[in-house]
Each structure stands twice: as C-alpha cells, then as structure tokens.
C-alpha cells in the first residue's frame, strides 16, 4: 500500500448500533498513525495518536487498534449516538519526516 | 486563547491573480501544514514546514508557494499557475512527530 486508504467511504447506522472503520497505510518506515473526527462547520480534532504495534487506545465509547506489521488500524464506536455523526480521518506519518498524509475519510451518519 | 487562526474565512479572486492565505499559530509549534480539500478527495498535503526557513513539498505543491520566516506564521500563496484553485484550504500545526495536529477553521477560496 502506497497511500492511506479508508473504508467504507460512508456509513449510515441507527442510534445504539456499534460500528467500525478501517484505515490501511504503508507498513514500511512507519512512525505514527493518527485518527481525527471532523464535524460539519468545525475543524478536525484529534482522537488518537498511536505509535506502537498492538497499541489500543480508548476515549469514552470510541477505541482504536493498530497493526503496524500489516499496515492497518481499526476505529470502533460502541453504541453510536447522533452526535457521533462526522467524518473520521486517519493520517500516517512515516519515519522520514514530519509529513502527515491523510486518507479520504469515512463519513458516519447516526440517525435516532 | 491558544490556537491557529486562518484568515479570511471566505476569499474571492479573479482568475489569473495570485492570492495569499494567512495562517498564524500561538501554540509554539515547530511544524506547520497546508492542506487542500475538494469534494470526495479528503485532505491533500500541499506544503509543510518542520522549522523556520525550511519547508517541503507535499503531494500537490504545483501552483502554490509558501514561506516560513517566523515560527508563528506560514502563509500560502495560490499562484496563477494553479489550474484549479477553487477549494477549501486548511492549515495545521503540531509540536513533534508523535503528537496530534491542531487545525485552523479553514479558508474557502473561490476563483471566478
């Protein structure tokens, strides 16, 4: 994988459903993997920055895992709420410098 | 308040004119970034700077120029050589390679 890829592109779930997204990234020269939430009319805000293979991070109902050897990360949302509706972006930082390259994002809509 | 300020929020220019977008941060961050967002494209990296008086091209640098004369400021000039300048532009900054990025509110540029 040469670029950062995210799937699915969009997702529509009902309130209370749990959901997950995937981020794939180049596994060579890995340094860090970021997750951001971008709500409409706001700026992207960081959820997690992960650097170690096997990392698992959690913030409330949202958690993320990291596999640097195979080049993927999962973001999980447990019991989705309408306020979780946003675009979720992942970004990859290789060890060659400060460049932070983003995927196209997963757009999540949670309806009551 | 600490943060990143982009100005203006909306900008209109005639085709063939250069235009400069402002980005200022008071977070004392070393690294600063410029991204462009088009519908369905996610965030694409234009330029980034790791330190004052130094900057690197991102994936879509053609038709853009930047300067980093002060730590706090990273202006982006959209030149007449940029074929499709109409887009949403986001500026970001961060402290170190394993830390999160902070984003401005963005500038929506329309070239007519």
């Amino acid at each position: 994988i040469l670029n950062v890829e995210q799937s699915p592109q969009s997702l529509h779930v009902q309130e209370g459903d749990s959901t997950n997204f995937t981020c794939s990234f180049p596994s060579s020269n890995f340094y860090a993997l970021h997750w951001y939430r971008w709500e409409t009319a706001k700026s992207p805000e960081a959820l997690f920055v992960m650097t170690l293979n096997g990392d698992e991070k959690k913030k409330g109902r949202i958690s993320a895992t990291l596999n640097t050897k195979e080049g993927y990360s999962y973001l999980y949302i447990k019991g989705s709420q309408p306020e979780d509706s946003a675009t979720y972006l992942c970004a990859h930082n290789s060890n060659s410098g400060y460049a932070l390259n983003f995927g196209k994002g997963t757009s999540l809509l949670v309806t009551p | 308040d600490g943060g990143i300020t982009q100005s203006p929020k909306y900008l209109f220019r005639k085709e063939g004119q250069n235009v400069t977008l402002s980005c200022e941060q008071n977070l004392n961050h070393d690294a600063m970034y410029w991204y462009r967002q088009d519908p369905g494209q996610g965030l694409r990296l234009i330029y980034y700077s790791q330190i004052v008086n130094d900057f690197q091209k991102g994936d879509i640098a053609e038709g853009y120029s930047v300067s980093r004369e002060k730590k706090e400021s990273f202006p982006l000039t959209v030149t007449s050589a940029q074929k499709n300048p109409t887009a949403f532009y986001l500026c970001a900054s961060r402290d170190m390679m394993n830390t999160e990025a902070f984003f401005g509110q963005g500038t929506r540029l329309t070239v007519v």
Side-chain angles (χ1 to χ4, degrees):
Chain A
I1 295 174
L2 300 177
N3 298 315
V4 180
E5 297 172 1
Q6 292 187 245
S7 62
Q9 184 176 342
S10 62
L11 201 51
H12 181 187
V13 302
Q14 297 296 312
E15 182 175 358
D17 289 348
S18 293
T19 187
N20 65 85
F21 324 132
T22 303
C23 174
S24 301
F25 53 86
S27 56
S28 60
N29 304 319
F30 174 84
Y31 191 86
L33 192 282
H34 298 219
W35 281 101
Y36 293 83
R37 174 167 59 200
W38 193 359
E39 297 178 67
T40 302
K42 294 186 177 180
S43 304
E45 291 185 346
L47 290 170
F48 307 111
V49 178
M50 296 186 288
T51 57
L52 298 176
N53 185 45
D55 253 354
E56 290 188 28
K57 295 210 171 182
K58 187 175 180 181
K59 184 182 288 189
R61 295 179 291 98
I62 304 176
S63 60
T65 61
L66 179 66
N67 183 322
T68 62
K69 295 188 186 307
E70 296 182 40
Y72 65 84
S73 175
Y74 294 135
L75 187 78
Y76 300 93
I77 302 178
K78 184 177 178 181
S80 302
Q81 300 296 309
E83 57 264 32
D84 296 328
S85 297
T87 296
Y88 291 82
L89 299 166
C90 72
H92 170 256
N93 194 157
S94 75
N95 61 11
S96 61
Y98 273 73
L100 194 57
N101 294 298
F102 282 81
K104 293 184 179 181
T106 293
S107 177
L108 173 67
L109 177 63
V110 183
T111 51
Chain B
D1 269 18
I4 300 180
T5 302
Q6 288 186 243
S7 61
K9 191 171 182 180
Y10 298 96
L11 192 54
F12 295 87
R13 279 293 182 271
K14 290 185 178 179
E15 194 172 340
Q17 289 182 334
N18 291 357
V19 60
T20 297
L21 282 57
S22 169
C23 179
E24 304 276 333
Q25 55 100 357
N26 60 5
L27 300 168
N28 199 35
H29 286 170
D30 285 321
M32 296 188 73
Y33 303 80
W34 274 106
Y35 292 93
R36 168 180 172 143
Q37 191 209 19
D38 297 281
Q41 289 288 338
L43 296 179
R44 292 189 289 169
L45 183 61
I46 305 173
Y47 268 99
Y48 66 101
S49 168
Q50 298 178 192
I51 197 169
V52 173
N53 293 321
D54 183 59
F55 46 82
Q56 309 293 328
K57 291 182 179 180
D59 296 328
I60 55 165
E62 186 175 351
Y64 299 97
S65 66
V66 293
S67 63
R68 187 88 186 275
E69 297 177 2
K70 299 185 298 182
K71 190 175 186 178
E72 310 81 52
S73 179
F74 191 41
L76 173 75
T77 297
V78 185
T79 75
S80 56
Q82 168 51 234
K83 296 191 188 328
N84 296 296
T86 294
F88 184 69
Y89 291 87
L90 265 178
C91 178
S93 72
R94 62 173 173 156
D95 189 16
M96 298 164 60
M97 278 176 66
N98 61 348
T99 59
E100 66 197 81
F102 292 82
F103 288 84
Q105 295 289 328
T107 293
R108 186 165 297 280
L109 173 65
T110 302
V111 176
V112 294

